[in-house]
Amino acid sequence: KPYTSARYVPQPDLLIVETRFKGRHDGAFLGVAPTGRAVDVPMTIFVSFAGGLMSGERFYWNLGTLVEQIGVKMPVALPAAA
């Protein structure tokens, strides 16, 4: 099913995008071997601008949503390097 991102411009120097990351778990992630499972993770992206140029970006998403979709039962202790 197609997903259209929602975009908001609350200030001239800020863009907020609500979107989804969709993909497949085809490589090791946080020590979890590839499962081939589909993932669909909602996220919000804040993009800031200064002088007409992009000056920064922040991505917010829930790690728990992703690891549950690849088959990790919560709660889980992640490796120290995570």
Side-chain angles (χ1 to χ4, degrees):
K1 165 177 154 180
Y3 181 82
T4 303
S5 297
R7 293 173 177 84
Y8 308 98
V9 184
Q11 301 169 358
D13 59 350
L14 178 65
L15 170 68
I16 301 170
V17 179
E18 293 178 325
T19 190
R20 307 184 84 79
F21 170 82
K22 293 183 179 186
R24 188 159 307 280
H25 181 217
D26 289 334
F29 180 73
L30 295 177
V32 179
T35 62
R37 292 182 180 199
V39 295
D40 181 358
V41 181
M43 65 172 45
T44 303
I45 306 167
F46 288 73
V47 182
S48 55
F49 298 88
L53 300 173
M54 190 173 112
S55 60
E57 62 184 356
R58 295 181 309 253
F59 290 72
Y60 294 93
W61 55 284
N62 186 322
L63 177 60
T65 300
L66 178 59
V67 296
E68 284 184 354
Q69 290 181 20
I70 63 174
V72 176
K73 301 298 180 202
M74 298 299 286
V76 63
L78 297 175

